[in-house]
Amino acid sequence: MFQNLKNKFEAKRAVWTQETQQRIAEYADFERRTALLEMEKNEKMQSLLNTEVEKYLRTVHPTFLLKPEVSRALLNMLYSRSEGTVSINMSMTKEMRKAYSFYHNELKIFLNLLERRGFQLEGNEDKFLMLFITKLRENNYRKCMNLYGDFVPDGSSLFQAFDLYFEVVEDEYKYTSGNVDFFASYLNQKEIVDYSWTKSRLKRKLKQYENANKHEFKLKQLEKRLKNIS
C-alpha cells in the first residue's frame, strides 16, 4: 500500500514537473515575443524620429541650441511639457530668449506633428534632444565647411588656426554658437586640439588671442580694404 501511494505521488510529481516546465517555456516565449515587439516598436520610433528630424532641420537652423546651457534649458522645457508644468527662467540671456521663442513658436508644433505620427515624447525627452542636437551639429558643420572651406592647412599650430579663423569668418559671426561649435569640431578633425576642449574654453581662448593681437588684426583689416581699391 505504501508503495502504491509512493508510485501515485511520483506520478503526480512528474505531472507537476512537466506542467512547471511547460509554464516556464510559455513564459519564456511570452518574454521573447514581448521583447521583440518592444524592439520593433523602438526601431520604428527611432526610424520615424531620424527621418522627420532630418527633414525638419532642412527648414530651420537654430544653431544657438548648440550652446550646452541653452540645450539644457530646452531639455527642461521638454520635461515641463511632459509634466504639464511651466518652465520659466527669469534671467535669460539673448540665446536663451531665442531658445524660448523657438520652442514656443516652432518646436512645439513639430512635436505635435511627431506625436500625431506615433512618437511618444514623454519618457524620451533626452533621446529626442540628443538626436536633434546631433543632426543640427552635423548640418551646421557641413554648412560651415561649404561656406569657409578647408581653410587651415594640415600641421598648423593652434595660433595659426586662430589667425586663419579670424581671416575667413565675418566679424559679426566669429563668436556665434554655430561657428564656435564648428571650429571646435574642425580643430578636433585637424588634431590641433583634443576633445577635452569645451566650446566655452575655445571661445575664451579666441577672445584672449584677439585682444592680445588687436593691433595686428586692425592692420590686416586695413590691408584688405586697401586691396579692394584699384
Side-chain angles (χ1 to χ4, degrees), residues 49-65:
L49 203 54
N50 281 332
T51 303
E52 296 305 318
V53 168
E54 201 163 299
K55 287 196 292 187
Y56 180 64
L57 285 174
R58 292 179 200 165
T59 68
V60 293
H61 193 56
T63 53
F64 46 86
L65 294 176

Side-chain angles (χ1 to χ4, degrees), residues 49 53 56-57 60 62 65-66 74 102 107 110 126-138:
L49 203 54
V53 168
Y56 180 64
L57 285 174
V60 293
L65 294 176
L66 294 174
L74 179 60
F102 172 72
L107 193 61
F110 177 57
D126 286 276
K127 181 186 287 187
F128 169 80
L129 190 62
M130 187 181 294
L131 176 69
F132 193 91
I133 295 297
T134 298
K135 288 195 174 293
L136 176 61
R137 177 166 284 122
E138 290 169 357

Side-chain angles (χ1 to χ4, degrees), residues 27-44:
Y27 182 73
D29 183 57
F30 170 76
E31 287 281 283
R32 275 195 302 272
R33 283 185 283 110
T34 302
L36 279 173
L37 286 171
E38 187 65 24
M39 194 183 301
E40 286 172 7
K41 178 185 171 185
N42 288 337
E43 285 176 357
K44 189 176 178 182

Side-chain angles (χ1 to χ4, degrees), residues 152-158 160-161 190-192:
V152 177
D154 292 339
S156 297
S157 69
L158 179 61
Q160 286 172 329
K190 290 283 180 179
E191 298 183 347
I192 295 173

